[in-house]
Amino acid sequence: MGVMSGSGGAVNGAHTVRSWNVRTSSDNKQYRASNTKKGTGRKAGTKDWSGSYLGYGVVPPVMPNEAFTFTGFDGAKVASGSAVVESVEIRWSQEDGGLMEYTVNFSGAGPLSKTTGTASDVVIPNPPSSVSLKLELDSVELADVRSMTLTLTGNTKAYSSSTSGGWKGRLGGSLDASGGVEFYHADIESVPDAGTDTVLKMYVDDTTFWEIKWGQIDEDGVDVSIEDDELVSGTILWSKNGFQDGVEGYIKKPDLTTLWPAA
């Protein structure tokens, strides 16, 4: 098979990609019977495949429940097939000054092919930094944020039938969102309480942001390390609440387009 470097890799429709992967599985069925001589036989079953790619950026090129054609290049060969996005995660790392990055997770909607082909990423790189990016809760900045995440998840459904060609198919469903925040603080009363709703503005630069109306706080926490003199820190975990007292919320991208509610 030989050995090669991944430095020539790329993914169609995306730029500044760090890595990609795909995995194929077969739901093989075993059998034992009166004529298998106390042994086990197997027959190949329905095939399925899934994968992910990791890139620098603040808005992934595809969103949960979206059908797209994944094509991953390793420099000389191509893995390609119809797929549906399962989830995306966007990560901020203010404390260590890291670059903003995302992960796209997807699963197959039909066969995965492997052929010969090459591609290159011609976009001039300019990955965004997490330094000093803020979070607002109900339009009030939460001070001293260390890191935060935004996860968007699709309720996709897999199927196989007499016409799916021996591969799993998939369709997108409803959309959900969740996330987490780590921060330092000097006032335990400043930590938002579990069970409350808040409008989150997760900034990707000085003026634009992901906006979620509303995030319902699932868990709030405070950590105090006396022996090690560590700084007092807090955490928040939240999930999307799309409706509050008869009012409809939303998820908006940094360019102000609405991701949810669906059109």
Side-chain angles (χ1 to χ4, degrees):
M1 294 179 64
V3 178
M4 66 178 296
S5 168
S7 60
V11 171
N12 68 306
H15 65 82
T16 325
V17 173
R18 302 178 59 189
S19 64
W20 65 267
N21 69 81
V22 291
R23 301 286 187 272
T24 304
S25 62
S26 176
D27 186 21
N28 301 330
K29 302 300 183 182
Q30 67 178 27
Y31 63 92
R32 288 179 289 273
S34 57
N35 54 353
T36 57
K37 300 181 179 180
K38 297 185 179 181
T40 301
R42 283 179 170 82
K43 286 281 188 177
T46 304
K47 292 184 178 181
D48 197 7
W49 67 278
S50 62
S52 66
Y53 63 90
L54 172 65
Y56 291 115
V58 298
V59 180
V62 288
M63 289 288 117
N65 299 313
E66 183 175 340
F68 75 110
T69 299
F70 171 79
T71 306
F73 302 86
D74 69 5
K77 301 290 184 178
V78 177
S80 182
S82 297
V84 175
V85 181
E86 302 275 6
S87 66
V88 301
E89 183 183 63
I90 304 161
R91 295 178 289 277
W92 290 252
S93 52
Q94 291 90 334
E95 185 164 34
D96 64 10
L99 300 177
M100 288 202 61
E101 61 183 9
Y102 65 82
T103 300
V104 174
N105 300 299
F106 52 88
S107 294
L112 178 71
S113 65
K114 299 174 183 178
T115 59
T116 300
T118 59
S120 61
D121 183 354
V122 298
V123 175
I124 302 300
N126 186 24
S129 171
S130 297
V131 172
S132 300
L133 295 180
K134 65 182 179 178
L135 168 69
E136 290 182 355
L137 304 176
D138 290 334
S139 297
V140 177
E141 182 178 355
L142 180 66
D144 298 305
V145 171
R146 304 170 63 188
S147 67
M148 53 190 184
T149 60
L150 169 60
T151 301
L152 303 166
T153 305
N155 187 27
T156 63
K157 297 300 180 182
Y159 67 91
S160 57
S161 68
S162 59
T163 56
S164 61
W167 288 83
K168 289 281 189 181
R170 272 180 181 80
L171 293 175
S174 56
L175 180 71
D176 202 359
S178 60
V181 186
E182 295 182 318
F183 54 95
Y184 293 115
H185 70 91
D187 180 5
I188 195 171
E189 292 182 328
S190 69
V191 180
D193 293 328
T196 59
D197 288 343
T198 183
V199 177
L200 294 105
K201 294 181 179 179
M202 309 176 78
Y203 280 75
V204 300
D205 58 30
D206 291 340
T207 58
T208 60
F209 45 81
W210 280 91
E211 186 173 10
I212 296 89
K213 182 179 182 180
W214 293 265
Q216 189 166 93
I217 307 299
D218 297 316
E219 180 180 317
D220 67 84
V222 176
D223 293 292
V224 180
S225 177
I226 301 167
E227 184 173 34
D228 296 329
D229 292 329
E230 295 291 347
L231 301 179
V232 177
S233 62
T235 58
I236 297 171
L237 299 177
W238 61 269
S239 298
K240 178 180 78 73
N241 177 19
F243 306 91
Q244 185 189 79
D245 299 327
V247 178
E248 186 176 82
Y250 52 76
I251 299 174
K252 291 185 179 180
K253 298 179 182 180
D255 64 2
L256 301 182
T257 60
T258 299
L259 180 62
W260 181 88

